[in-house]
Amino acid sequence: MAKPEQHRVSVTGNRIHTNRLVLRPWSVDDAAKAVAVYGRSEVARWLAPAMSAVDNEAAMTAVLQRWIDECSALEPPAGRWAVELAGSGELIGGAAVLPLPPDGVDLEIGWQLAPAHWGRGLATEAGHAVAHYTFTQGVDEVFAVVRPRNTRGAATARRVGMEWVGERQKYYGLTLQVYRLRRGDLDLPTIPASASAPHGGRNQER
């Protein structure tokens, strides 16, 4: 398998940095901007488990608070992150590393971007970021799950360097396309051992 484009990845405190992005913990203050991501049906319809479009700030605040509470109980490298543009600080999406049901043994990487930012390779960069970080925490493989007909999500998984495992009904009680990335298939950047573990959902666009 050809190696995907290499991205610089580093961790500072609870933030993950790439060439163009900063991944940092969610805050309920992000609700208004997060609606531009999760309020769009072309994003929400592909999520697993199913999630309706969150089209108002109050509902988004409740979702973010639930994510924050859930993350407080997760062990690294699991977590959820808001995705910002490094230059401007504009919030453009989200990324996650989460235990996959039903047994919570397999780890899923996920990413979503606001449609206005599709087509620039930013989702691939976010996927690289969470995969790199996860592999520095002693994990040997991660998975991505993509709903059938979500061609953008599948293309991004391949750009991250993931291989197609097959169509499975193992996760979420859904029929999903499953992709896998092993530690040895992704070149790891140097991340300081002293960096603290950040806590930061499913797969979308390029």
Side-chain angles (χ1 to χ4, degrees):
M1 180 186 302
K3 295 286 186 182
E5 179 185 353
Q6 182 65 40
H7 298 289
R8 175 186 63 84
V9 182
S10 62
V11 177
T12 304
N14 58 7
R15 296 178 176 232
I16 304 173
H17 302 263
T18 74
N19 295 346
R20 297 179 290 173
L21 302 174
V22 176
L23 284 66
R24 49 108 176 138
W26 284 104
S27 163
V28 292
D29 294 335
D30 295 321
K33 294 180 180 178
V35 169
V37 183
Y38 298 100
R40 298 294 295 267
S41 61
E42 59 266 57
V43 174
R45 65 176 175 165
W46 298 121
L47 298 177
M51 176 176 157
S52 299
V54 186
D55 57 3
N56 66 81
E57 186 173 345
M60 193 72 242
T61 298
V63 169
L64 291 177
Q65 187 61 64
R66 184 174 74 250
W67 288 355
I68 292 166
D69 292 342
E70 289 172 353
C71 284
S72 67
L74 294 174
E75 292 293 329
R80 291 183 183 270
W81 297 263
V83 177
E84 296 180 340
L85 292 177
S88 65
E90 179 185 358
L91 193 156
I92 64 168
V97 180
L98 296 171
L100 277 163
D103 54 23
V105 173
D106 295 337
L107 284 178
E108 173 194 8
I109 60 172
W111 52 83
Q112 302 83 40
L113 291 187
H117 297 279
W118 291 1
R120 299 168 54 194
L122 293 169
T124 303
E125 196 163 327
H128 269 286
V130 289
H132 279 306
Y133 167 67
T134 302
F135 289 145
T136 67
Q137 304 299 303
V139 174
D140 293 323
E141 62 181 7
V142 293
F143 295 85
V145 295
V146 180
R147 285 182 179 268
R149 299 186 301 280
N150 182 2
T151 55
R152 282 183 176 272
T156 303
R158 290 192 296 269
R159 288 187 178 91
V160 172
M162 309 188 87
E163 64 176 350
W164 184 68
V165 175
E167 190 170 88
R168 300 285 188 269
Q169 294 180 319
K170 181 178 180 180
Y171 306 119
Y172 299 110
L174 300 169
T175 299
L176 298 166
Q177 301 293 322
V178 179
Y179 291 82
R180 177 177 59 204
L181 182 65
R182 292 191 170 105
R183 178 184 174 92
D185 292 331
L186 190 67
D187 294 333
L188 290 174
T190 299
I191 296 180
S194 61
S196 60
H199 277 283
R202 273 169 234 271
N203 301 327
Q204 262 324 105
E205 51 292 317
R206 300 180 180 86

